[in-house]
Amino acid sequence: MTTPSSALDHPVRRLVVSLPAPYDAAREHYETLVPEVDLARFHQMASWTATLELAEINAPHGFMRYYRSDLTAVMAGSPSFWQATQYLMGNHTIAERMFRHDPAVMLHAPLRTLLYTDPDGDTRFAIDQPSLLFASYHDPRIADVGLELDALVAELIALLGGDVPRQLKGAR
């Protein structure tokens, strides 16, 4: 028997954090804190234990960059004047702890983030709160990892010089 199609409404909270650095400096700092994933090296790992060890090295603050799009360049020539860079950041060794229970979690992993300038020229960091995304799978094992990701996002925001939103305070 095939499983019927379904639709699920769930809450999402977008966190938008002001960063103290100008856009280019904030982007450079973000990319230092969230280094590009070395997929070629990960594909060479002989065991999951070796993969976990490499992730510890490749993601010193828990996250790696899987994708980057310079939206400023993409929109060049349009009437849009924003500076913005979109990222997919995450850690597949953390995501695996959810994936083993429900592969659909990969809809939200890696996490989508955005660095941009607002109308006043101030730098902003935006992300949907991980714990709400992953709580929508109604599995406490997945929800627990979402809370762990909240704590890593809080640490990243602090390292970027932003004020950690109260919704992330007290995260593991």
Side-chain angles (χ1 to χ4, degrees):
M1 176 176 189
T2 60
T3 305
S5 298
S6 64
L8 173 72
D9 293 327
H10 64 91
V12 175
R13 177 180 295 126
R14 182 179 312 126
L15 304 170
V16 180
V17 177
S18 294
L19 300 180
Y23 174 77
D24 288 329
R27 188 182 67 210
E28 185 177 314
H29 191 199
Y30 174 89
E31 291 181 6
T32 300
L33 295 170
V34 183
E36 185 174 3
V37 64
D38 187 348
L39 287 176
R41 195 152 170 225
F42 275 107
H43 291 152
Q44 296 172 350
M45 295 298 98
S47 69
W48 189 247
T49 299
T51 298
L52 292 169
E53 290 169 0
L54 180 57
E56 292 264 334
I57 295 165
N58 201 178
H61 302 288
F63 294 119
M64 296 171 264
R65 280 183 289 121
Y66 291 86
Y67 172 80
R68 173 191 162 178
S69 179
D70 180 353
L71 300 174
T72 307
V74 170
M75 300 295 180
S78 79
S80 300
F81 59 89
W82 309 105
Q83 289 182 295
T85 305
Q86 179 185 64
Y87 300 94
L88 292 179
M89 87 169 181
N91 185 323
H92 55 283
T93 65
I94 295 172
E96 186 281 328
R97 294 176 19 229
M98 297 181 287
F99 179 75
R100 69 177 74 153
H101 304 295
D102 186 344
V105 300
M106 300 313 282
L107 179 63
H108 297 108
L111 303 166
R112 177 177 247 167
T113 66
L114 183 71
L115 280 174
Y116 66 97
T117 54
D118 68 12
D120 296 324
D122 295 327
T123 306
R124 304 286 186 157
F125 171 77
I127 185 171
D128 289 337
Q129 187 170 354
S131 61
L132 292 179
L133 297 174
F134 295 114
S136 72
Y137 293 91
H138 303 292
D139 183 322
R141 299 166 299 186
I142 294 170
D144 283 347
V145 177
L147 290 170
E148 181 181 330
L149 290 168
D150 278 8
L152 289 173
V153 168
E155 177 187 346
L156 177 62
I157 290 169
L159 289 168
L160 288 168
D163 289 330
V164 177
R166 67 175 172 75
Q167 292 84 352
L168 293 178
K169 291 187 177 170
R172 294 182 199 180

